[in-house]
Amino acid sequence: MMTVKEKIQSAKLLHWSSSVKAGDVLKYWHDDGRHGVICYARVLKVCPRKLKVRGGRGEIGYKNPGWFTGRLSEREVYELNEQGVSI
């Protein structure tokens, strides 16, 4: 039987944000007041506590991994590029 500490460690290892690397495309929710939209950002650099990312409009910033809701697969990125979404 696993202890609580072991369960927490295993959960941290399985979470998608623990394996983020430069070049990954992450998605997040942006609420503009009227309705929200899903936005995308490409990881430029993984820092100890934050991620340096470039958003879809070209802005560069530092965000916590908790800001993002998931990672896109290479296939999803390809499909978005085919649709004309800039990432």
Side-chain angles (χ1 to χ4, degrees):
M1 182 151 208
M2 292 174 52
T3 65
V4 173
K5 186 176 181 179
E6 292 170 340
K7 287 181 182 179
I8 292 171
Q9 281 300 103
S10 66
K12 285 182 180 178
L13 292 176
L14 296 176
H15 194 268
W16 66 267
S17 66
S18 64
S19 62
V20 173
K21 60 187 183 307
D24 286 349
V25 177
L26 306 176
K27 60 183 175 179
Y28 62 97
W29 181 258
H30 175 70
D31 187 6
D32 63 357
R34 295 171 293 175
H35 54 78
V37 294
I38 295 177
C39 299
Y40 305 98
R42 184 171 299 273
V43 177
L44 301 175
K45 182 179 179 183
V46 178
C47 301
R49 293 189 180 163
K50 297 199 180 220
L51 303 172
K52 183 177 182 181
V53 297
R54 179 188 311 269
R57 295 175 299 187
E59 72 279 6
I60 295 176
Y62 289 89
K63 301 285 186 188
N64 289 321
W67 176 266
F68 301 97
T69 58
R71 178 176 37 209
L72 273 63
S73 67
E74 291 181 21
R75 181 177 181 212
E76 292 172 319
V77 173
Y78 175 77
E79 290 173 357
L80 285 173
N81 285 332
E82 289 294 315
Q83 295 173 4
V85 177
S86 63
I87 298 176

